């Protein structure tokens, strides 16, 4: 099926885009990579009357290093993230998440901002921005604001963005130099949304105890979760196999996954526990390797 | 026999056009005044239509025709068995059945008009699985089945099982009584979609001479013509199926699907009518591979000898049966297996339910049957404490023996093929923890059929193959060129292909399917090339006075042996001032005297914490005849294996309460390159086969053993048996926890 009739708008600046959003409110949708929105429109799950294509707005597609941060324009494609040496060097879990999305065609078109704003409960980027404590820079008629990742996701397919607000940039603070991270995902088939996914960044102090920790999980609930309970469990402790098991138990108890074609809720909880334990062990291994090199 | 061009890896001739976009598919064909058709589909699995009101739709902008069941009374269509209504006749039998149709100037107008059609339904009790459908008191979905044309045997009493085939040998009860051990298992397999890129589509136009012109991606155009002729009682010669490229088939593009409704809309509107199914419609109302339930029971002696083997297979045909060429699904009976048993009973029922109708897909019935049979063989071996390899080697049929469903073949290489697979896969080598290896087998002979082919040699030097086959994507035209080039001889690149459509006055062509392409078409090309050469020799005799017995071919020259004189064909043809045409109508109708075995070994790693399976390697061994084009042959093997991996681990059309739960490829997942591990192929080459080059089929053989090989490897790895496809991580996880 073709999408229902819509009007195609192509602003050339952010302010113009915001004006259009103001005019059309809930009747409008922004078109980023279109990899989820367009199929939803074809199925008529989404029926925007106005489609605002933001491809013509310059300077929304970049990966920059700036003052101890990596700043990615919202229109940065998955493939650019996957192939960025800066990101691979500083926050490899972001590369890993990008390369686990869809297939090459999807990664060529799909964008970081689009993936985050879609807020699929099983999306890959959500776990990563939560683990890395990223910040979402947004612009609206009321000016600019920064939303911490932990406050960004509000419900399935819903974010803290107002209807006239645009996500323009995602800011990743450099993780501590003594830390390492990983994104792991269990999937039915390569490139599918996750059955369960976990992003873990662990820093090790002098004595080998966990000095910094960030944990985000996907597939655990209606929104990607920052696993605060796991973070506080690990913080300041020497990470032992027993502690990792305890983390697995904690996440399994707290998870409330949605049952869907990817699995039953009870299975997803157990799968999440396994993936999280593995991600902790792997980021610990990477952090230790870093320390001894 | 050694050949120059046959047996070479010649690149496919249709590649470039497909990559550049030059290839013309059905949806590219547009005639002036073409209308777009859309159909309204039933939201209920089983219901009575109590009212249908199209008055608003008829008045909607751009609408040229609106039809309901009342406009299609008494019309039944199908490939040969005809039980499908063009539009529901007062009663809908599955969710997705066509209830009304609209043709409008634009697609959007057609879609909008559909929304204006009002239909009231009264729901009826639905039968949603084949076993329930056979129970006493189950609603009979087709009470008039005995009146349907093409039903193989009239039913004695009303039943949803409209086809039942039984093969018996010996005395099955006695066989079980004499067994030391009897093992029983029940297996279930889901529907899977062919996942071709191009959905079903067609363009139908009744031209100014009152002829029905059709464009359709159908690989059996003569069959389509006959089906339409039978359904609408129009003389076959009034119908023409025009050639177009087929955008993927995988077995699914042989039945009339959209053509009947477009014909009625074209008749009503007086305009060409085009329909392109949305992929959502493919998933909810296409004609996928049948879901099935299979019960197996095998009695063995302690030494591993199979004494008795019984199988009851129930194919869920869904609401209609006519999307298959015959009413029976022959392949599933193969799953009696390639083992000997003194006593056997193999029973296959095709059962109506209120689900989406089943259709035709690569090796119809075989992946279902072999998944059950080959999984079951492993279960029996394990119960006996025997290695599944040894158990199979003990029981596989040998020269002079027939299969349990009566297949007699010569040059049986079942054991040789199995041993080759086991050896290449390192079946006996040590394995790490949670790594398993599993074996499975299958077999299938090349299909029979008819085709017409002409080879024209023209005075301008051109060589043209005229074929009544429509290439469906397996490289048939490339093979035809190789044969013509080999036999004439000439350069294959110089040969043009011309399609003889259904107006060309050729005999019935059985089209592509059933792994018959290479067998039937190569015979035709060979004969036509020989005939053309004979004509050339005749011409040389007539014009040059060279006796036929003294003339030989060298490249594109004829050479008179005695005088060593040379004469290029084209000069000869120029002198004659005409083309010559070698012609063949190849009726290669007999059941193949050879079959081809496939044996596979899957190696898996199972993650015991999540149940996730990593297929680490799949080794496939094939018993082959001559191979016409190695790269094309390997392509069929790789493609079949990959599709088998999808069937084993990933794909299914989930149907709940009659509703198909996947609407697009975001949900209906098929394997991508990342899911595919190392694939090893072993060819057990032989010199027996069919046709002039002694070939065997390959298109359908590789798909069937994959899923059972994986299931068997999983049990080898972690000791759990999964009897239901696809084998998801969650099923393994649950089975491991249940132990």
């Amino acid at each position: 099926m073709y999408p229902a009739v819509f009007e195609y708008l192509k602003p050339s600046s952010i302010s113009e885009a915001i004006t259009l959003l103001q005019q059309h409110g809930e009747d409008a949708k922004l078109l980023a990579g279109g990899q989820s929105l367009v199929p939803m429109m074809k199925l008529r799950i989404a029926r925007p009357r106005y489609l605002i294509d933001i491809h013509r707005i310059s300077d929304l597609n970049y990966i920059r290093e700036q003052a101890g941060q990596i700043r990615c324009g919202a229109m940065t494609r998955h493939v650019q993230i996957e192939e960025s040496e800066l990101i691979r060097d500083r926050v490899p879990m972001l590369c890993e998440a990008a390369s686990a999305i869809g297939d090459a065609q999807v990664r060529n078109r799909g964008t970081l901002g689009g993936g985050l704003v879609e807020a699929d409960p099983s999306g890959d980027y959500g776990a990563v921005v939560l683990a890395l404590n990223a910040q979402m820079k947004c612009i609206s008629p009321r000016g600019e604001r920064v939303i911490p990742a932990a406050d960004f996701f509000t419900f399935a397919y819903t974010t803290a963005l107002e209807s006239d607000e645009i996500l323009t940039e995602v800011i990743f603070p450099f993780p501590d130099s003594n830390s390492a991270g990983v994104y792991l995902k269990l999937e039915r088939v390569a490139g599918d949304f996750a059955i369960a996914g976990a992003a873990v960044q662990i820093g090790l102090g002098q004595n080998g105890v966990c000095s910094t920790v960030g944990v985000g999980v996907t597939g655990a609930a209606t929104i990607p979760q920052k696993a605060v309970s796991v973070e506080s469990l690990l913080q300041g402790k020497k990470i032992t196999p027993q502690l990792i098991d305890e983390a697995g138990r904690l996440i399994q108890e707290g998870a409330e996954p949605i049952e869907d074609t990817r699995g039953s809720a009870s299975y997803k909880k157990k799968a999440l526990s396994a993936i999280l334990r593995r991600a902790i062990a792997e980021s610990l291994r990477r952090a230790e390797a870093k320390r001894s090199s | 026999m050694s050949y120059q061009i046959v047996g070479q890896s010649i690149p496919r001739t249709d590649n470039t056009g497909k990559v550049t976009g030059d290839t013309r598919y059905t949806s590219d064909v547009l005639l002036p005044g073409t209308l777009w058709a859309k159909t309204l589909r039933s939201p209920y699995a089983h219901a009575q239509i109590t009212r249908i009101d199209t008055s608003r739709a008829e008045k909607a902008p751009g609408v040229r025709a609106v039809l309901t069941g009342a406009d299609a009374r008494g019309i039944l269509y199908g490939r040969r068995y005809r039980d499908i209504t063009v539009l529901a006749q007062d009663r809908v039998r599955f969710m997705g059945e066509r209830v009304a149709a609209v043709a409008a100037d634009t697609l959007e107008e057609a879609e909008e008009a559909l929304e204006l059609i009002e239909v009231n339904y009264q729901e009826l009790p639905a039968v949603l699985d084949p076993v329930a459908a056979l129970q006493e008191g189950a609603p009979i979905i087709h009470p008039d089945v005995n009146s349907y044309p093409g039903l193989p045997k009239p039913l004695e009493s009303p039943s949803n099982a409209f086809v039942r085939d039984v093969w018996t040998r010996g005395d099955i009860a006695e066989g079980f009584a004499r067994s030391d051990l009897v093992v029983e298992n029940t297996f279930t397999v889901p529907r899977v979609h062919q996942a071709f890129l191009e959905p079903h589509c067609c363009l139908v136009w009744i031209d100014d001479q009152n002829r029905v012109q059709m464009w359709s991606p159908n690989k059996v155009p003569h069959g389509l013509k006959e089906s339409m002729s039978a359904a609408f009682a129009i003389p076959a010669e009034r119908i023409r199926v025009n050639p177009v490229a087929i955008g993927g088939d995988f077995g699914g593009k042989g039945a009339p699907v959209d053509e009947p409704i477009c014909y009625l809309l074209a008749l009503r509107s007086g305009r060409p009518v085009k329909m392109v199914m949305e992929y959502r419609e493919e998933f909810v109302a296409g004609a996928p591979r049948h879901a099935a339930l299979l019960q197996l029971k095998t009695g063995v002696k302690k030494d591993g000898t199979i004494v008795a083997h019984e199988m009851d297979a129930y194919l869920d045909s869904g609401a209609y049966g006519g999307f298959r060429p015959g009413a029976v699904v022959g392949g599933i009976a193969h799953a009696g297996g390639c083992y000997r048993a003194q006593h056997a009973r193999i029973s296959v029922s095709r059962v109506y339910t209120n689900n989406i109708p089943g259709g035709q897909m690569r090796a119809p019935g075989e992946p279902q049957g072999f998944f059950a049979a080959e999984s079951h063989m492993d279960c029996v071996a394990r119960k006996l404490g025997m290695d599944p390899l040894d158990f199979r080697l003990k029981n596989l049929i040998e020269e002079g023996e027939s299969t349990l469903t009566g297949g007699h073949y010569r040059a049986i290489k079942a054991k040789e093929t199995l041993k080759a697979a086991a050896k290449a896969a390192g079946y006996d080598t040590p394995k790490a923890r949670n790594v398993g290896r599993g074996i499975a087998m299958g077999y299938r002979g090349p299909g029979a059929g008819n085709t017409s082919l002409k080879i024209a040699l023209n005075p301008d030097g051109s060589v043209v193959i005229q074929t009544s086959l429509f290439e469906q994507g397996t490289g048939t035209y490339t093979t035809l060129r190789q044969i013509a080039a080999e036999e004439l001889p000439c350069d294959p690149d110089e040969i043009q292909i011309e399609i003889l459509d259904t107006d060309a006055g050729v005999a019935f062509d059985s089209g592509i399917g059933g792994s018959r392409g290479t067998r039937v078409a190569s015979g035709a090309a060979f004969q036509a090339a020989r005939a053309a050469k004979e004509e050339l020799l005749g011409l040389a005799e007539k014009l040059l006075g060279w006796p036929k017995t003294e003339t030989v071919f060298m490249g594109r020259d004829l050479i008179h042996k005695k005088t060593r004189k040379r004469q290029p064909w084209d000069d000869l043809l120029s002198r004659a001032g005409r083309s010559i045409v070698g012609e063949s109508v190849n009726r290669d109708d007999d059941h193949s005297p050879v079959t081809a075995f496939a044996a596979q070994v899957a190696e898996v790693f199972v993650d015991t914490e999540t149940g996730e399976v990593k297929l680490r390697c799949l080794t496939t061994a094939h018993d082959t005849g001559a191979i016409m084009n190695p790269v094309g042959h390997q392509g069929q093997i790789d493609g079949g294996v990959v599709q088998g991996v999808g069937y084993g681990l990933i794909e299914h059309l989930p149907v709940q309460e009659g509703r198909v739960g996947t609407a697009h490829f975001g949900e209906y997942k098929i394997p991508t390159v990342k899911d595919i591990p190392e694939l090893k192929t072993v060819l057990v080459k032989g010199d027996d086969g069919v046709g002039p080059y002694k070939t065997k089929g390959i298109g359908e053989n590789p798909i069937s053993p994959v899923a059972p090989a994986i299931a068997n490897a999983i049990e080898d790895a972690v000791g759990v048996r999964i009897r239901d496809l696809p084998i998801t991580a969650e099923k393994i996880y649950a089975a491991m926890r249940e132990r």
Side-chain angles (χ1 to χ4, degrees), chain A residues 149-175:
Chain A
D151 300 333
F152 189 69
F153 304 103
T154 54
F155 190 62
Y157 307 104
T158 316
T159 67
L161 288 174
E162 302 287 338
S163 65
D164 56 359
E165 197 167 26
I166 300 177
L167 172 68
T168 57
E169 186 181 77
V170 185
I171 304 161
F172 297 93
F174 282 176

Side-chain angles (χ1 to χ4, degrees), chain A residues 143-258:
Chain A
E144 198 178 296
R145 67 167 172 156
V146 169
I147 307 173
D151 300 333
F152 189 69
F153 304 103
T154 54
F155 190 62
Y157 307 104
T158 316
T159 67
L161 288 174
E162 302 287 338
S163 65
D164 56 359
E165 197 167 26
I166 300 177
L167 172 68
T168 57
E169 186 181 77
V170 185
I171 304 161
F172 297 93
F174 282 176
D176 283 357
S177 58
N178 64 356
S179 76
V182 70
Y183 177 68
L184 291 182
K185 171 184 184 182
L186 177 69
E187 51 195 359
R188 288 185 300 175
V189 49
D192 192 16
F193 281 99
I195 298 170
V200 176
Q201 185 84 21
I202 286 174
L204 292 178
Q206 292 285 329
N207 45 4
V209 303
C210 171
S211 58
T212 54
V213 58
V215 181
V217 292
T218 190
T222 53
I223 53 171
Q225 303 273 309
K226 187 163 176 64
V228 183
S229 61
V230 174
E231 289 177 353
S232 33
L233 175 76
L234 303 182
Q235 179 74 45
K237 294 203 195 85
K238 173 119 180 109
I239 300 175
T240 60
Q242 294 73 25
L243 199 64
I244 294 176
D245 284 349
E246 179 58 28
R249 269 193 295 277
L250 267 181
I251 203 80
Q252 191 172 324
E253 279 164 19
E256 289 175 356
I258 307 167

Side-chain angles (χ1 to χ4, degrees), chain A residues 1-2 5 43-44 99-100 107 186-192 262-264 267 270-271 274-275 277-278, chain B residues 107-108 111-112 115 278 280 607 609-612 650 663-664 666-667 669-672 674-675 729-730 733:
Chain A
M1 195 172 0
Y2 294 111
V5 175
L43 291 167
R44 312 244 169 139
S99 63
R107 292 194 295 278
L186 177 69
E187 51 195 359
R188 288 185 300 175
V189 49
D192 192 16
R262 289 176 194 86
S264 69
Y267 171 68
K270 288 156 192 157
I275 292 299
R277 281 180 276 132
R278 224 163 268 180
Chain B
L107 182 57
E108 291 77 9
E111 280 177 356
E112 275 157 33
E115 293 181 20
E278 297 160 30
R280 184 179 59 89
D607 179 336
E609 278 193 312
T610 60
E612 192 184 14
I650 301 162
H664 54 84
E667 287 165 351
K669 289 292 181 182
I670 60 175
T672 65
K674 276 186 167 179
D675 300 295
E730 182 166 1
Y733 181 90

Side-chain angles (χ1 to χ4, degrees), chain A residues 14 84 253:
Chain A
I14 291 174
S84 158
E253 279 164 19

